[in-house]
Short mmCIF file of all heavy atoms in Angstrom, two decimals:
data_model
loop_
_atom_site.label_atom_id
_atom_site.label_comp_id
_atom_site.label_asym_id
_atom_site.label_seq_id
_atom_site.Cartn_x
_atom_site.Cartn_y
_atom_site.Cartn_z
N ALA A 269 -79.25 62.90 162.99
CA ALA A 269 -78.41 63.94 162.42
C ALA A 269 -79.11 64.53 161.22
O ALA A 269 -79.89 63.88 160.53
CB ALA A 269 -77.07 63.34 161.99
N VAL A 270 -78.83 65.79 160.94
CA VAL A 270 -79.43 66.43 159.80
C VAL A 270 -78.84 65.86 158.53
O VAL A 270 -77.64 65.64 158.42
CB VAL A 270 -79.17 67.96 159.85
CG1 VAL A 270 -79.80 68.64 158.65
CG2 VAL A 270 -79.72 68.54 161.13
N ALA A 271 -79.71 65.58 157.54
CA ALA A 271 -79.21 65.19 156.24
C ALA A 271 -78.34 66.33 155.72
O ALA A 271 -78.52 67.47 156.09
CB ALA A 271 -80.38 64.93 155.28
N SER A 272 -77.38 66.01 154.86
CA SER A 272 -76.36 66.99 154.53
C SER A 272 -76.47 67.52 153.11
O SER A 272 -75.68 67.16 152.23
CB SER A 272 -74.97 66.36 154.71
OG SER A 272 -74.82 65.91 156.03
N PRO A 273 -77.45 68.38 152.83
CA PRO A 273 -77.54 68.96 151.51
C PRO A 273 -76.42 69.96 151.32
O PRO A 273 -75.99 70.62 152.24
CB PRO A 273 -78.90 69.66 151.50
CG PRO A 273 -79.17 69.97 152.93
CD PRO A 273 -78.51 68.88 153.73
N VAL A 274 -75.92 70.07 150.11
CA VAL A 274 -74.89 71.05 149.78
C VAL A 274 -75.40 71.85 148.60
O VAL A 274 -75.51 71.34 147.50
CB VAL A 274 -73.55 70.37 149.43
CG1 VAL A 274 -72.54 71.42 149.03
CG2 VAL A 274 -73.04 69.57 150.60
N GLY A 275 -75.76 73.12 148.84
CA GLY A 275 -76.30 73.92 147.77
C GLY A 275 -77.63 73.36 147.33
O GLY A 275 -78.35 72.75 148.09
N ALA A 276 -77.98 73.59 146.06
CA ALA A 276 -79.25 73.09 145.55
C ALA A 276 -79.10 71.66 145.07
O ALA A 276 -78.65 71.41 143.99
CB ALA A 276 -79.75 73.99 144.41
N GLY A 277 -79.46 70.73 145.88
CA GLY A 277 -79.44 69.36 145.43
C GLY A 277 -78.96 68.39 146.47
O GLY A 277 -79.49 67.31 146.63
N GLY A 278 -77.93 68.76 147.24
CA GLY A 278 -77.45 67.89 148.29
C GLY A 278 -76.57 66.77 147.78
O GLY A 278 -76.51 66.48 146.60
N VAL A 279 -75.86 66.15 148.68
CA VAL A 279 -75.01 65.02 148.33
C VAL A 279 -75.40 63.78 149.11
O VAL A 279 -74.88 62.70 148.87
CB VAL A 279 -73.52 65.35 148.61
CG1 VAL A 279 -73.07 66.49 147.74
CG2 VAL A 279 -73.30 65.69 150.08
N SER A 280 -76.33 63.92 150.05
CA SER A 280 -76.73 62.80 150.88
C SER A 280 -78.06 62.25 150.40
O SER A 280 -78.96 62.99 150.04
CB SER A 280 -76.86 63.24 152.34
OG SER A 280 -77.41 62.21 153.12
N GLY A 281 -78.19 60.91 150.42
CA GLY A 281 -79.47 60.30 150.09
C GLY A 281 -80.44 60.32 151.23
O GLY A 281 -81.63 60.03 151.05
N LEU A 282 -79.97 60.63 152.45
CA LEU A 282 -80.86 60.72 153.59
C LEU A 282 -81.73 61.96 153.47
O LEU A 282 -81.35 62.96 152.86
CB LEU A 282 -80.07 60.77 154.89
CG LEU A 282 -79.36 59.48 155.31
CD1 LEU A 282 -78.56 59.72 156.59
CD2 LEU A 282 -80.37 58.35 155.53
N LEU A 283 -82.88 61.91 154.10
CA LEU A 283 -83.83 63.01 154.06
C LEU A 283 -84.10 63.51 155.47
O LEU A 283 -84.24 62.72 156.40
CB LEU A 283 -85.12 62.56 153.40
CG LEU A 283 -84.99 62.26 151.91
CD1 LEU A 283 -86.04 61.26 151.46
CD2 LEU A 283 -85.09 63.55 151.12
N ASN A 284 -84.18 64.81 155.61
CA ASN A 284 -84.52 65.45 156.87
C ASN A 284 -85.94 65.97 156.73
O ASN A 284 -86.18 67.02 156.12
CB ASN A 284 -83.53 66.57 157.18
CG ASN A 284 -83.65 67.08 158.60
OD1 ASN A 284 -84.04 66.35 159.50
ND2 ASN A 284 -83.30 68.34 158.81
N VAL A 285 -86.90 65.23 157.26
CA VAL A 285 -88.31 65.46 156.98
C VAL A 285 -88.98 66.20 158.15
O VAL A 285 -88.91 65.76 159.30
CB VAL A 285 -89.03 64.13 156.72
CG1 VAL A 285 -90.52 64.34 156.51
CG2 VAL A 285 -88.41 63.43 155.50
N VAL A 305 -90.04 68.92 153.74
CA VAL A 305 -88.68 68.73 154.24
C VAL A 305 -88.29 69.87 155.15
O VAL A 305 -88.85 70.97 155.09
CB VAL A 305 -87.66 68.59 153.07
CG1 VAL A 305 -87.98 67.37 152.23
CG2 VAL A 305 -87.64 69.86 152.22
N GLN A 306 -87.32 69.61 156.01
CA GLN A 306 -86.81 70.62 156.94
C GLN A 306 -85.64 71.36 156.30
O GLN A 306 -84.74 70.75 155.74
CB GLN A 306 -86.34 69.96 158.24
CG GLN A 306 -85.80 70.92 159.28
CD GLN A 306 -86.91 71.72 159.95
OE1 GLN A 306 -87.97 71.19 160.24
NE2 GLN A 306 -86.65 73.00 160.21
N GLY A 307 -85.65 72.68 156.41
CA GLY A 307 -84.53 73.48 155.94
C GLY A 307 -84.81 74.20 154.65
O GLY A 307 -85.27 73.61 153.68
N CYS A 308 -84.55 75.52 154.64
CA CYS A 308 -84.79 76.33 153.44
C CYS A 308 -83.80 77.50 153.43
O CYS A 308 -83.64 78.19 154.44
CB CYS A 308 -86.21 76.87 153.44
SG CYS A 308 -86.59 77.90 152.00
N PRO A 309 -83.12 77.75 152.30
CA PRO A 309 -82.17 78.87 152.23
C PRO A 309 -82.86 80.21 152.04
O PRO A 309 -82.23 81.26 152.16
CB PRO A 309 -81.32 78.52 151.01
CG PRO A 309 -82.25 77.77 150.12
CD PRO A 309 -83.12 76.96 151.06
N PHE A 310 -84.15 80.20 151.73
CA PHE A 310 -84.89 81.44 151.48
C PHE A 310 -85.66 81.81 152.73
O PHE A 310 -86.27 80.97 153.37
CB PHE A 310 -85.86 81.26 150.32
CG PHE A 310 -85.23 80.64 149.11
CD1 PHE A 310 -85.62 79.38 148.68
CD2 PHE A 310 -84.24 81.30 148.41
CE1 PHE A 310 -85.04 78.80 147.57
CE2 PHE A 310 -83.64 80.73 147.30
CZ PHE A 310 -84.04 79.47 146.87
N TRP A 320 -89.82 75.53 159.74
CA TRP A 320 -89.20 74.58 158.83
C TRP A 320 -88.14 75.23 157.95
O TRP A 320 -87.65 74.63 156.99
CB TRP A 320 -90.27 73.90 157.98
CG TRP A 320 -91.24 73.14 158.83
CD1 TRP A 320 -91.09 72.84 160.16
CD2 TRP A 320 -92.48 72.58 158.44
NE1 TRP A 320 -92.17 72.13 160.62
CE2 TRP A 320 -93.05 71.95 159.59
CE3 TRP A 320 -93.18 72.53 157.24
CZ2 TRP A 320 -94.28 71.30 159.56
CZ3 TRP A 320 -94.41 71.88 157.22
CH2 TRP A 320 -94.93 71.27 158.35
N ILE A 321 -87.78 76.47 158.26
CA ILE A 321 -86.72 77.17 157.53
C ILE A 321 -85.34 76.75 158.02
O ILE A 321 -84.44 76.49 157.22
CB ILE A 321 -86.88 78.70 157.67
CG1 ILE A 321 -88.16 79.18 156.97
CG2 ILE A 321 -85.66 79.42 157.11
CD1 ILE A 321 -88.46 80.64 157.18
N GLU A 322 -85.18 76.67 159.31
CA GLU A 322 -83.87 76.40 159.90
C GLU A 322 -83.36 75.01 159.55
O GLU A 322 -84.12 74.03 159.52
CB GLU A 322 -83.96 76.55 161.42
CG GLU A 322 -82.64 76.39 162.14
CD GLU A 322 -82.78 76.51 163.65
OE1 GLU A 322 -83.86 76.91 164.12
OE2 GLU A 322 -81.81 76.20 164.35
N GLU A 323 -82.05 74.91 159.29
CA GLU A 323 -81.41 73.61 159.10
C GLU A 323 -81.16 73.00 160.47
O GLU A 323 -80.22 73.38 161.17
CB GLU A 323 -80.07 73.78 158.36
CG GLU A 323 -80.22 74.24 156.93
CD GLU A 323 -80.66 73.11 155.99
OE1 GLU A 323 -80.78 71.96 156.47
OE2 GLU A 323 -80.89 73.39 154.81
N ARG A 324 -82.01 72.07 160.87
CA ARG A 324 -81.87 71.44 162.18
C ARG A 324 -82.43 70.03 162.11
O ARG A 324 -83.19 69.69 161.20
CB ARG A 324 -82.62 72.25 163.24
CG ARG A 324 -84.12 72.32 163.02
CD ARG A 324 -84.78 73.24 164.04
NE ARG A 324 -86.21 73.30 163.84
CZ ARG A 324 -86.98 74.20 164.43
NH1 ARG A 324 -86.46 75.10 165.24
NH2 ARG A 324 -88.29 74.20 164.21
N PRO A 325 -82.06 69.18 163.04
CA PRO A 325 -82.56 67.80 163.00
C PRO A 325 -84.07 67.76 163.12
O PRO A 325 -84.66 68.41 163.98
CB PRO A 325 -81.89 67.14 164.20
CG PRO A 325 -80.72 68.01 164.52
CD PRO A 325 -81.12 69.40 164.16
N ALA A 326 -84.68 67.01 162.25
CA ALA A 326 -86.12 66.77 162.33
C ALA A 326 -86.32 65.26 162.37
O ALA A 326 -85.92 64.62 163.33
CB ALA A 326 -86.83 67.43 161.15
N ARG A 327 -86.86 64.70 161.33
CA ARG A 327 -87.04 63.24 161.24
C ARG A 327 -86.18 62.75 160.09
O ARG A 327 -86.52 62.93 158.92
CB ARG A 327 -88.51 62.92 161.00
CG ARG A 327 -88.83 61.43 160.92
CD ARG A 327 -90.32 61.25 160.66
NE ARG A 327 -90.70 59.85 160.52
CZ ARG A 327 -91.91 59.43 160.21
NH1 ARG A 327 -92.88 60.32 160.00
NH2 ARG A 327 -92.19 58.14 160.09
N VAL A 328 -85.06 62.14 160.40
CA VAL A 328 -84.14 61.67 159.37
C VAL A 328 -84.59 60.31 158.87
O VAL A 328 -84.78 59.37 159.65
CB VAL A 328 -82.70 61.62 159.90
CG1 VAL A 328 -81.76 61.06 158.83
CG2 VAL A 328 -82.24 63.02 160.32
N MET A 329 -84.77 60.20 157.55
CA MET A 329 -85.31 58.98 156.95
C MET A 329 -84.51 58.62 155.71
O MET A 329 -83.99 59.49 155.01
CB MET A 329 -86.77 59.18 156.54
CG MET A 329 -87.68 59.72 157.61
SD MET A 329 -89.39 60.01 157.01
CE MET A 329 -89.99 58.32 156.87
N GLY A 352 -90.06 74.07 153.97
CA GLY A 352 -88.70 73.78 153.59
C GLY A 352 -88.49 73.91 152.08
O GLY A 352 -89.33 74.37 151.36
N GLU A 353 -87.31 73.50 151.64
CA GLU A 353 -86.96 73.58 150.22
C GLU A 353 -86.60 72.20 149.68
O GLU A 353 -85.51 71.67 149.96
CB GLU A 353 -85.79 74.54 150.01
CG GLU A 353 -85.24 74.60 148.60
CD GLU A 353 -86.31 74.75 147.53
OE1 GLU A 353 -87.02 75.77 147.56
OE2 GLU A 353 -86.45 73.83 146.69
N PRO A 354 -87.49 71.58 148.91
CA PRO A 354 -87.23 70.23 148.40
C PRO A 354 -85.95 70.09 147.59
O PRO A 354 -85.28 69.04 147.63
CB PRO A 354 -88.47 69.94 147.54
CG PRO A 354 -89.54 70.77 148.16
CD PRO A 354 -88.86 72.04 148.57
N MET A 355 -85.57 71.12 146.83
CA MET A 355 -84.39 70.99 145.98
C MET A 355 -83.09 70.92 146.78
O MET A 355 -82.06 70.52 146.25
CB MET A 355 -84.34 72.13 144.96
CG MET A 355 -85.40 72.02 143.89
SD MET A 355 -85.21 70.50 142.90
CE MET A 355 -86.80 70.47 142.04
N GLU A 356 -83.14 71.29 148.05
CA GLU A 356 -81.98 71.12 148.90
C GLU A 356 -81.79 69.65 149.30
O GLU A 356 -80.75 69.28 149.84
CB GLU A 356 -82.11 71.99 150.15
CG GLU A 356 -82.01 73.49 149.89
CD GLU A 356 -80.63 73.89 149.40
OE1 GLU A 356 -79.63 73.57 150.07
OE2 GLU A 356 -80.55 74.52 148.33
N GLN A 357 -82.81 68.85 149.09
CA GLN A 357 -82.74 67.42 149.39
C GLN A 357 -83.17 66.61 148.16
O GLN A 357 -83.82 65.57 148.27
CB GLN A 357 -83.60 67.10 150.61
CG GLN A 357 -83.16 67.87 151.85
CD GLN A 357 -83.89 67.45 153.10
OE1 GLN A 357 -84.07 66.27 153.37
NE2 GLN A 357 -84.31 68.42 153.89
N ALA A 358 -82.78 67.11 147.00
CA ALA A 358 -83.25 66.55 145.73
C ALA A 358 -82.82 65.11 145.52
O ALA A 358 -83.57 64.30 144.96
CB ALA A 358 -82.77 67.43 144.57
N VAL A 359 -81.60 64.76 145.94
CA VAL A 359 -81.09 63.41 145.71
C VAL A 359 -81.99 62.38 146.38
O VAL A 359 -82.43 61.40 145.75
CB VAL A 359 -79.64 63.29 146.22
CG1 VAL A 359 -79.17 61.83 146.15
CG2 VAL A 359 -78.71 64.17 145.40
N GLY A 360 -82.29 62.58 147.66
CA GLY A 360 -83.12 61.63 148.39
C GLY A 360 -84.55 61.61 147.90
O GLY A 360 -85.17 60.54 147.80
N LEU A 361 -85.11 62.78 147.57
CA LEU A 361 -86.48 62.82 147.08
C LEU A 361 -86.60 62.16 145.72
O LEU A 361 -87.60 61.48 145.43
CB LEU A 361 -86.97 64.27 147.01
CG LEU A 361 -87.24 64.95 148.35
CD1 LEU A 361 -87.59 66.41 148.15
CD2 LEU A 361 -88.34 64.24 149.13
N TYR A 382 -86.54 78.02 144.12
CA TYR A 382 -85.64 78.27 143.00
C TYR A 382 -86.45 78.45 141.73
O TYR A 382 -87.54 77.91 141.58
CB TYR A 382 -84.67 77.10 142.81
CG TYR A 382 -83.64 76.95 143.90
CD1 TYR A 382 -83.83 76.02 144.93
CD2 TYR A 382 -82.48 77.71 143.89
CE1 TYR A 382 -82.88 75.87 145.93
CE2 TYR A 382 -81.53 77.56 144.90
CZ TYR A 382 -81.73 76.65 145.91
OH TYR A 382 -80.80 76.50 146.90
N ARG A 390 -77.74 71.08 137.28
CA ARG A 390 -77.24 70.64 138.58
C ARG A 390 -77.70 69.20 138.80
O ARG A 390 -78.91 68.92 138.76
CB ARG A 390 -77.76 71.54 139.70
CG ARG A 390 -77.34 73.00 139.54
CD ARG A 390 -77.76 73.81 140.74
NE ARG A 390 -77.38 75.21 140.61
CZ ARG A 390 -77.47 76.11 141.59
NH1 ARG A 390 -77.94 75.72 142.77
NH2 ARG A 390 -77.11 77.35 141.40
N GLY A 392 -78.18 66.98 141.25
CA GLY A 392 -79.22 66.64 142.21
C GLY A 392 -80.59 67.12 141.78
O GLY A 392 -81.53 66.31 141.62
N PRO A 393 -80.77 68.42 141.54
CA PRO A 393 -82.06 68.90 141.07
C PRO A 393 -82.52 68.28 139.76
O PRO A 393 -83.71 68.01 139.58
CB PRO A 393 -81.83 70.41 140.93
CG PRO A 393 -80.80 70.71 141.97
CD PRO A 393 -79.88 69.53 141.93
N LEU A 396 -84.25 65.07 140.43
CA LEU A 396 -85.61 65.23 140.95
C LEU A 396 -86.54 65.75 139.86
O LEU A 396 -87.68 65.28 139.74
CB LEU A 396 -85.61 66.17 142.15
CG LEU A 396 -86.97 66.42 142.82
CD1 LEU A 396 -87.68 65.12 143.16
CD2 LEU A 396 -86.82 67.29 144.06
#
Side-chain angles (χ1 to χ4, degrees):
V270 180
S272 302
V274 177
V279 297
S280 173
L282 290 177
L283 292 154
N284 192 28
V285 176
V305 298
Q306 180 74 40
C308 179
F310 311 114
W320 299 348
I321 293 174
E322 184 181 349
E323 292 283 357
R324 64 185 180 192
R327 181 181 178 184
V328 177
M329 309 177 73
E353 174 48 62
M355 289 298 167
E356 291 294 306
Q357 301 187 44
V359 172
L361 288 175
Y382 291 99
R390 300 186 180 189
L396 181 52

